[in-house]
Amino acid sequence: MFFNISKTNKIKLFKFCFLVLATTLTCLIVTPTLANTSKITDSNLTRAVQYSQSKIRLEKFAQRGEPPHRNFSQNLKSKIVESQILYEDGRFAEAVKILQQAIQEYQQQGDTLKQAVALSNLSLAYQQLGDWSQAQTAINQSLDLQGFQQSDSSKITSKNLAVLAQTLDIQGRLQLLTGKTEQALATWKQTEDIYSKIEYKNGIVLSRLYQAQALRTQGFNRQAIEKLEQVNQTLNTQENTLAKAAMLLALGDTLENVGDLEKSRIILEQSLAITQKLKSPTDIALSLLSLGNNARIQQKIPQAIAYYQKTVAVSPSLLTKVQAKLNHLSLLIEQQKLKETQTLIPEIQSQLEQLPPSRPSIYARINFAKSLEIVDSSKTKFQAQLLATAIQQARSLSDIRAEAYALGNLGNLYEKTQQLAEARNLTQKALILAQTSNAPEIVYMWQWQLGRLLKAQGEITEAIAVYDAAIETLESLRIDLVAVNQDVQFNFRDNVEPIYRESVALLLQNSGKKPDVQTLDKARTRIEALQLAELDNFFREACLQGQKVLLDKVVDAENPNTAILYPIILPEQLQVIVKIPQQPLRHYQVNKSQLEVERILEELRKYLLEPDRTEEVQTLSQEVYSWLIKPIESDLATSKVNTLVFVLDGALRNIPLAALYDGQNYLVEKYAVALSLGLQLLAPKPLAQEPLKVLAAGLVQPPPEFPTFPPLPGIKLEFDFIAQTGVSTTKLLDKDFTSKTLEKNVNTAPFNVLHLATHGQFSSRPEDTFILATDGSINVLEFDNLLRRQSETRTQTLELLVLSACQTATGDNRATLGLAGAAIKAGARSTVASLWHINDKSTAILIGEFYRELVDAKVTKAEALRRAQVKLLTDYPNYSRPGYWAPYVLVGNWL
């Protein structure tokens, strides 16, 4: 079994199962190279294969007219079994040699079926070694021997459909791994048809699991979930066997990967119940391990630790024990409970020494070394020994991918001990090996590491080139990076985000005081790519799709009174790139470190929420004004700019820029303010060009299970103010506002504005991003699915989403990911929402004024919001503090 390792990121691959023993599956695993923590996950699909083997073998040989006991020669059994053991031990090169010998023997015997089986297994081994060419050759030869014509797959003439289906499963795996996702999906649909023809239910289930993976990789999250629902329904009709438990385990892991954590937990508990009833310690341990991982992602730390401890107590496998202990160790480190690690460390060290060389044991050593680095950085010699052993074992197994990973980590250790020449040498070797083994998920890590080393050695031009290559590799991995477990986002800051930021810093610093336009454009494009990667990471799928228009074009041609500002927070400076209409890009920098910028912004955010801190708010907001606006004040005035669009970065997203202060006036008194997610805007179109039709849902009294949220009596007043503008409105209030009634009206009512006046929360964790209805919370993923169904059945675009009582999660510096994510995933051109919850009467006034300006004055959404905010500031003394009017932000299309 395989598992995630270390503080790198993860990418989905597949595990190996042999045709001769059972239905061959392409099992989901996660390699160590993209793991954010040392959390270990077993893919578990192999278990389903092993437990269904007797049935499929009977089916196979019944078709050939052979009795089951005459299925294969003893020689075949020994070679295939030996190669399977080698593979499952992570000794892929040795498995290749055994399989090649078997293929020659079967060719001499004239047994094409056995030869086809061995060739399929050989393709799997080559896939693990990253040799796509040899893997493709082997699978093609296997299909040819079975009489399968790729050019006319509708005419299946194979004498053994079971073996053919299994071979096609392996072909689908190869297609997915080499980026041919549509072909993989088609192949697995074909295997489902074949399994249906021979009435092999487990094969049907597993083909659907693979199809869900392919759909997920293509970004079709809803279709993937529907496919998984089919799997679940099929499994519900089957009797309780270890094969069913194994498939439930695989289904639970897959649901976890698509973000449905609660359903994943339920499925995993069903798997555990079956394995306990059937008294299989090996399978009980695997279910417990997956449940521990699920609990960990949901931040249920005591439960996760308990599951890991139970895994250790139950499992007869030393490797599984080590996996669980490594997960437990990394969890304690994550919780900064370093004293509690002291018991685990010697236990893991002792058990690691007992494990035979294999890819899993190599990754375990690397994982352990990286954990020790955090617990006790003084043990560098021991860490180096662990990594050196890992390198030796990888070489003994001829496992280039594992060797690349181990070498790179040893290079990282040398980097941290400032032995730069040795670090660079090791990193270059690791990079070459990773590239040789077609492992881009490792390649980008060592490109980044080499870039850092080149920079440290003063070779800036070379460093920039290597950083460019690392980002290019990351972009090629974009789909894989988002199809990962949810907790990856918490380490996104450590393993992906810094590459973009360090690259931009190098670009701008290397260009002197006046970077050219090409450099500035490259820098801002790179920051936009980072923002999109953050959103992709949040939802685990590509978010921005469809027709896009460059913001520059909108500003220069269609909205010439708008300027765009790109503040970029770098380790040593705050860099600002500015686009003023009809002018080339310009740039200025503020000599404030990232730590200082974030400290000031955190203080400003805190003081904005306190009623007696107006003076401190103005002082701090004036300083931020001096960073962002003051250097271009006169240019904005000369160009008659009246709207500022900010493409915000990092902690700047947590403060309302409308509250910036120039010493006399707030920014909102001079400019309309909007936020954008990047250089591209989806279909810019002024809302004033069409009549407003509002679907409004409101909840005065939150459900009893959410006692921390106060009642919102002002919602009725808010709805009255909207009605007074004459806008066509469909209302769902209190008991009429449930998840079902919202879904029904979204699908039937005519509207282009969705107004939700209810408590909600934005967080950097999707499961903590939700709105409240009478029947409970509606998670952002559920909300997304609801609105996607609407967009598929109706042609009218959602022009505006208003979230009038929501807030960003307290203490979550990346909570605005949830806000931006809700906007993007809703498919709305624009979203108005609040960074924190405000007095609901002031909210009602502001929202009423916002709609009145939209309807009566026919101004842009940004200008309508500005006027509503100024109204509170100037005409309502009780609500003049920025804490009342400033937190409302407009995200997206400002027109």
Side-chain angles (χ1 to χ4, degrees), residues 777-828:
S777 64
I778 302 175
N779 179 267
V780 69
L781 298 174
E782 299 168 336
F783 186 60
D784 166 48
N785 288 331
L786 181 153
L787 290 175
R788 280 207 199 184
R789 285 192 288 272
Q790 178 266 342
S791 65
E792 291 171 1
T793 57
R794 299 176 57 223
T795 57
Q796 190 164 26
T797 301
L798 181 57
E799 297 289 343
L800 179 63
L801 171 67
V802 179
L803 300 162
S804 73
C806 298
Q807 61 188 18
T808 52
T810 304
D812 187 341
N813 289 331
R814 291 159 61 85
T816 44
L817 275 178
L819 169 56
I824 286 293
K825 298 293 282 181

Side-chain angles (χ1 to χ4, degrees), residues 332-366:
L332 291 174
I333 293 171
E334 188 179 284
Q335 298 294 309
Q336 297 185 340
K337 297 179 179 178
L338 300 185
K339 287 185 178 179
E340 296 180 29
T341 66
Q342 298 308 309
T343 303
L344 277 175
I345 288 173
E347 293 177 2
I348 295 171
Q349 181 180 344
S350 173
Q351 291 179 337
L352 269 178
E353 292 171 355
Q354 299 174 49
L355 290 175
S358 67
R359 182 179 284 183
S361 69
I362 291 168
Y363 290 156
R365 286 179 179 277
I366 298 168

Side-chain angles (χ1 to χ4, degrees), residues 604 608 613-631 633 644 646 655-671 673 873 880-882 885-886:
L604 176 56
L608 279 164
R613 295 283 197 165
T614 300
E615 185 176 340
E616 288 92 336
V617 165
Q618 290 183 343
T619 300
L620 290 171
S621 61
Q622 188 170 355
E623 180 168 3
V624 180
Y625 182 95
S626 72
W627 301 344
L628 304 181
I629 309 299
K630 193 171 182 60
E633 271 181 329
L644 300 178
F646 291 88
I655 64 163
L657 295 179
L660 298 188
Y661 192 64
D662 67 359
Q664 293 182 322
N665 300 105
Y666 291 104
L667 192 66
V668 74
E669 296 179 78
K670 297 190 289 184
Y671 302 101
V673 176
L873 170 63
S880 62
R881 282 196 308 105
W885 51 261

